[in-house]
Amino acid sequence: MRAPQSRAKTEPASLARFSFNQATAQGWPLPEVVAGCVAAGVPGIGLWREPVAEYGLARSAKLVRDAGLAVTSLCRGGFFSAADWRAENLRAIDEAAALGAPELVLVSGGLPAGSRDIDGARRRVGDAIGELAPHAAAAGVRLAIEPLHPMFAADRCVIATLGQALDIAERFDPTVVGVVVDAYHVWWDDTVYAQIARAADRIAAFQVCDWVTPLPEGVLLGRALPGEGCIELRRLREAVDAAGYVGPIEVEVFSAEVWARPGAEVLDAAIAGYLRHVA
């Protein structure tokens, strides 16, 4: 007699873990993003500090809460090479707590002006997180170190691999400091699957998009919706699952082409790509 298939193989993919990062629909006003997510049955939203500040922190928190959406992350803190990094990051932690965001994504910042000392810059990231960790723990917000692709090391993020992020995160309680696995930034790394297994309960967020070429001038906007590029997104998702991560999966895309489309259309396309290529 043939054994029955497991439920995991017979049940269709769902949106239970899907989160729409608002940066994917740049310029879509927050109330419309929230309404669109609710209408589409999306359970979570990733927020950015600038549009939240524009709408108002308290108003944003109430809007999302009243809609029944979970705030899956707040982006971003970090940029530890800036003169006011400490005050700015303490403020960001408080904003995350007010929004009910469990994770504050940290983009660590590049080299200080005129510096070539990348090792020193990486040490400063660890020192800065050490200064912020007590405040984050008291606020109930986890600091999530996001490694960025090495092409951003000079100006945006000296933490270029998941391994480097974990070297810092492992100095702290995993409930206070974790790491972000962002497909765009880690897919190329031949050690990434070993590092994901190493990360285990330190995985604070998992973000997906796709990599397309040729990259546009400035490279920052060289992303696409899931399924439109070359990243093995489902393999990455299966790896974070195997490491024990059961949290939200955010679709986060920076693309002028995507941003030119109506927000509701982008959300629908993000959902379709997620269901087909990630879930």
Side-chain angles (χ1 to χ4, degrees):
M1 184 174 176
R2 189 177 180 180
Q5 288 185 311
S6 70
R7 288 175 61 87
K9 291 181 179 178
T10 58
E11 289 183 351
S14 78
L15 293 179
R17 296 174 68 185
F18 179 86
S19 176
F20 186 68
N21 189 291
Q22 72 175 133
T24 305
Q26 189 88 349
W28 202 16
L30 182 58
E32 295 182 26
V33 179
V34 169
C37 286
V38 171
V42 169
I45 185 169
L47 297 177
W48 280 67
R49 295 180 65 203
E50 293 82 1
V52 164
E54 183 178 343
Y55 190 72
L57 179 61
R59 288 179 71 205
S60 297
K62 184 177 189 303
L63 176 70
V64 176
R65 183 174 61 249
D66 290 352
L69 292 178
V71 179
T72 53
S73 71
L74 179 65
C75 199
R76 64 196 173 201
F79 285 90
F80 300 119
S81 56
D84 61 345
W85 70 265
R86 191 175 189 279
E88 191 61 32
N89 278 275
L90 292 175
R91 213 166 14 247
I93 291 167
D94 292 342
E95 291 168 10
L99 292 165
E103 326 288 350
L104 174 66
V105 176
L106 301 180
V107 176
S108 300
L111 293 170
S115 174
R116 293 182 174 85
D117 183 7
I118 195 166
D119 293 335
R122 288 177 177 143
R123 285 193 296 270
R124 281 191 291 276
V125 172
D127 293 343
I129 290 172
E131 288 191 42
L132 298 173
H135 188 73
V141 173
R142 180 155 55 167
L143 302 174
I145 307 169
E146 180 174 15
L148 266 59
H149 191 283
M151 64 185 171
F152 297 111
D155 61 342
R156 288 186 175 270
C157 190
V158 293
I159 304 303
T161 68
L162 188 56
Q164 290 169 359
L166 285 167
D167 288 344
I168 296 172
E170 286 173 349
R171 305 177 200 173
F172 305 95
D173 187 305
T175 65
V176 179
V177 181
V179 296
V180 179
V181 178
D182 184 323
Y184 183 77
H185 295 299
V186 304
W187 72 275
W188 58 275
D189 185 351
D190 64 344
T191 73
V192 69
Y193 293 101
Q195 296 300 333
I196 288 171
R198 170 190 170 192
D201 60 352
R202 292 188 182 276
I203 301 175
F206 177 44
Q207 297 178 329
V208 296
C209 66
D210 225 325
W211 180 287
V212 290
T213 52
L215 291 173
E217 184 178 356
V219 304
L220 183 63
L221 305 187
R223 304 192 188 196
L225 291 162
E228 296 182 358
C230 60
I231 301 178
E232 294 180 291
L233 294 172
R234 183 170 289 108
R235 183 183 177 193
L236 284 169
R237 194 268 300 161
E238 289 171 347
V240 298
D241 286 359
Y245 180 75
V246 296
I249 301 172
E250 289 187 8
V251 172
E252 183 191 58
V253 177
F254 301 158
S255 164
E257 182 179 328
V258 172
W259 291 344
R261 298 163 63 179
E265 181 182 305
V266 171
L267 175 58
D268 288 345
I271 290 171
Y274 167 83
L275 291 175
R276 184 172 181 183
H277 299 283
V278 182

